[in-house]
Amino acid sequence: MADFSLRNSVWQLRMSNDEVEHLHQRLPDIHGLPVNHDGAYRDAIRIFLIPASALVQTVNAIGGSNGVNITGILQTQLVMVTPIWVSPFDLLNGIAKRLLDTLGIGEHAGGALIGAGVGLLAVGPAGVVIGGVAGFLATIGANSPHPGDVLADRDTAQAWEKFSLINVQPDKVALLSWRGFFCADNGGGQGVHANRDQVGAWETHRLFRNPNGTVSFQCADGNFLTAEGGGGGVCNWNRPAIGAWEQFWMEWPREHAHEGTFTLKTFQEGKYVSVQ
């Protein structure tokens, strides 16, 4: 039975591997919903689960088929899916209000910090997901002549190589870096920049789980994220099909579980994706 938890406006649903594997056949029973709930919690969660079952199953498989945590904010479209040992629940609940106040976003809009200082997300009155990293507006352009450029050239993963995965549509995700969201300018066919403070069509991508356990990302115009040369240089959105250069290992280090972040490592050369 899936376990539901709620703190203020932040909810979390823990699902076992068996529940995830059978999600396409039946909805899980949910334990722990408030006694006097009006059905809104259950309906919101179940409406998400079936359309997003492919994403849930992908994250479960990447995490070793141990189950998943699904975390979201009531009355918003913000939902995260992580392996069972990654739980940003307390961070979401504990830091959101302070950052929302800092940015002048009303508490009624909802919001969350994903990772310790990694990213703030909220849903505005129009129901469109908006977001940015802590200090984003102050730091853009401060440390690099090309802020937000995406390379696949690092041998180890540090702060610039950590990302958050946000479910923004039933079958699509956004990638959040310390600089901002990954963007495919003009819908794709060009370079990759992770410096956007909002999620629109250019910042929304389809996640593919490949048979060998790697993942691939497809942007709006159908092109895939590629690490040129298999790693060691720049990344682009300019390949129409998945080959070796378009495959990445998605790693959720257990030692970083409290951050709720993951890394992307190229399949061919074993280089980490980095945002400058």
Side-chain angles (χ1 to χ4, degrees):
M1 180 178 289
D3 291 321
F4 176 86
S5 301
L6 177 68
R7 298 183 189 177
N8 298 328
S9 62
V10 181
W11 59 266
Q12 180 172 284
L13 186 67
R14 294 172 60 87
M15 296 180 63
S16 68
N17 176 63
D18 182 67
E19 289 167 330
V20 172
E21 291 297 323
H22 294 90
L23 185 57
H24 65 287
Q25 298 174 353
R26 57 177 173 82
L27 289 168
D29 294 326
I30 302 175
H31 171 74
L33 283 170
V35 174
N36 295 323
H37 72 87
D38 60 2
Y41 303 156
R42 184 184 299 271
D43 291 345
I45 293 169
R46 291 191 169 186
I47 287 171
F48 163 79
L49 281 177
I50 290 303
S53 61
L55 174 62
V56 173
Q57 290 170 342
T58 294
V59 174
N60 181 52
I62 292 170
S65 298
N66 293 303
V68 298
N69 281 326
I70 303 173
T71 308
I73 298 177
L74 293 177
Q75 299 179 337
T76 77
Q77 298 172 351
L78 172 60
V79 177
M80 292 179 61
V81 183
T82 61
I84 195 70
W85 69 83
V86 179
S87 178
F89 189 94
D90 291 332
L91 289 169
L92 288 168
N93 186 66
I95 312 176
K97 185 179 185 303
R98 176 170 58 84
L99 287 177
L100 288 172
D101 290 344
T102 300
L103 296 181
I105 300 174
E107 191 172 3
H108 66 280
L113 183 74
I114 297 177
V118 175
L120 175 77
L121 295 170
V123 176
V128 178
V129 178
I130 62 174
V133 296
F136 172 74
L137 295 177
T139 60
I140 205 102
N143 303 314
S144 169
H146 303 288
D149 281 3
V150 179
L151 308 179
D153 64 346
R154 301 303 169 94
D155 294 321
T156 60
Q158 304 296 327
W160 293 6
E161 292 75 45
K162 295 178 182 178
F163 312 109
S164 295
L165 184 69
I166 316 299
N167 186 84
V168 293
Q169 294 181 19
D171 60 346
K172 293 183 180 179
V173 300
L175 290 168
L176 179 63
S177 75
W178 74 285
R179 286 283 196 189
F181 291 99
F182 277 57
C183 177
D185 287 330
N186 297 315
Q190 304 177 48
V192 186
H193 298 92
N195 59 8
R196 302 304 170 91
D197 62 354
Q198 298 187 52
V199 175
W202 296 358
E203 294 77 35
T204 302
H205 319 295
R206 191 179 302 275
L207 173 66
F208 287 82
R209 175 161 58 100
N210 301 312
N212 61 1
T214 63
V215 298
S216 298
F217 296 91
Q218 186 181 40
C219 66
D221 75 347
N223 278 302
F224 288 87
L225 177 67
T226 183
E228 298 293 350
V234 300
C235 291
N236 287 308
W237 296 104
N238 62 356
R239 297 301 199 284
I242 297 174
W245 294 4
E246 292 72 46
Q247 299 180 46
F248 303 87
W249 297 108
M250 180 181 284
E251 300 178 347
W252 302 81
R254 289 179 181 266
E255 60 270 26
H256 300 153
H258 64 287
E259 298 180 0
T261 58
F262 65 91
T263 60
L264 290 174
K265 186 166 69 173
T266 63
F267 170 70
Q268 183 164 318
E269 298 295 329
K271 298 289 186 178
Y272 286 96
V273 174
S274 178
V275 174
Q276 306 302 295

